Amino acid sequence: MAVSEAELASLAAEVGWALRRKGWMLATAESCTGGWIAQVATAIAGSSQWFERGFVTYSNAAKQEMLGVREETLRQHGAVSEATVREMAAGALAASRAQVAVAVSGIAGPGGGTAEKPVGTVWIAWAESAGVGVDIVATRYHFFGDRQVIRAQTVQQALKGVLGRVAESH
């Protein structure tokens, strides 16, 4: 399913409105999307009111150094895993002033897939500051299409998840 830039812009504007209404800021931790979520967010006029910062952590070293992902996690589970995106999302919250964060890691292709993790496999995690702790939800997706289509679907799903988290929070 192709996702248009207009659809992503509209969704980002909706996310921004919801975050502003709560007085919250967003941080992103991106691997396979390479900063696309942050780009879509910051393309919205006034996004400085709700977009705090973004981390593009394409390499494992960047995930470790910038977000505190443990080497053991990467070794045991790989970069495209629930454990890794959970640590990425928690790390983005810890290294920012945001109240909500989204983290993505996946295999956008055309190569790099395996039988266990085929091209199109993407993990997304959403983290929210919850009093003294952090509440994290992670979901595995399998998107279809070429590299650009898989990445666009990831951006769309990441933003939809942020919107859902903000709407559900009290």
Side-chain angles (χ1 to χ4, degrees):
M1 168 188 91
V3 180
S4 73
E5 288 292 328
E7 288 173 286
L8 293 178
S10 176
L11 184 56
E14 197 175 346
V15 166
W17 180 84
L19 288 165
R20 264 196 327 271
R21 207 179 74 212
K22 285 234 192 250
W24 283 10
M25 299 290 278
L26 171 66
T28 60
E30 302 182 63
S31 188
C32 64
T33 49
W36 195 353
I37 301 167
Q39 188 281 323
V40 168
T42 60
I44 304 299
S47 58
S48 60
Q49 296 174 29
W50 54 270
F51 186 84
E52 212 275 327
R53 69 183 75 183
F55 301 90
V56 178
T57 56
Y58 208 71
S59 72
N60 285 351
K63 289 173 182 65
Q64 291 174 273
E65 293 165 11
M66 296 174 74
L67 300 171
V69 175
R70 296 175 308 135
E71 183 179 352
E72 177 184 335
T73 300
L74 291 163
R75 190 172 48 251
Q76 285 185 356
H77 304 283
V80 180
S81 67
E82 178 178 6
T84 296
V85 294
R86 283 177 165 277
E87 289 184 23
M88 288 172 67
L93 274 187
S96 73
R97 296 173 186 215
Q99 291 75 35
V100 65
V102 61
V104 300
S105 188
I107 304 165
T114 65
E116 184 181 288
K117 296 178 186 178
V119 169
T121 301
V122 176
W123 275 97
I124 306 177
W126 298 271
E128 177 187 333
S129 296
V132 296
V134 175
D135 181 33
I136 304 172
V137 173
T139 304
R140 179 183 173 152
Y141 295 91
H142 190 83
F143 299 121
F144 296 94
D146 65 18
R147 183 175 182 82
Q148 186 74 357
V149 170
I150 290 168
R151 293 174 76 221
Q153 290 174 47
T154 302
V155 172
Q156 180 184 47
Q157 197 60 53
L159 289 171
K160 282 182 176 180
V162 170
L163 192 57
R165 297 289 297 173
V166 173
E168 291 171 12
S169 181
H170 304 304

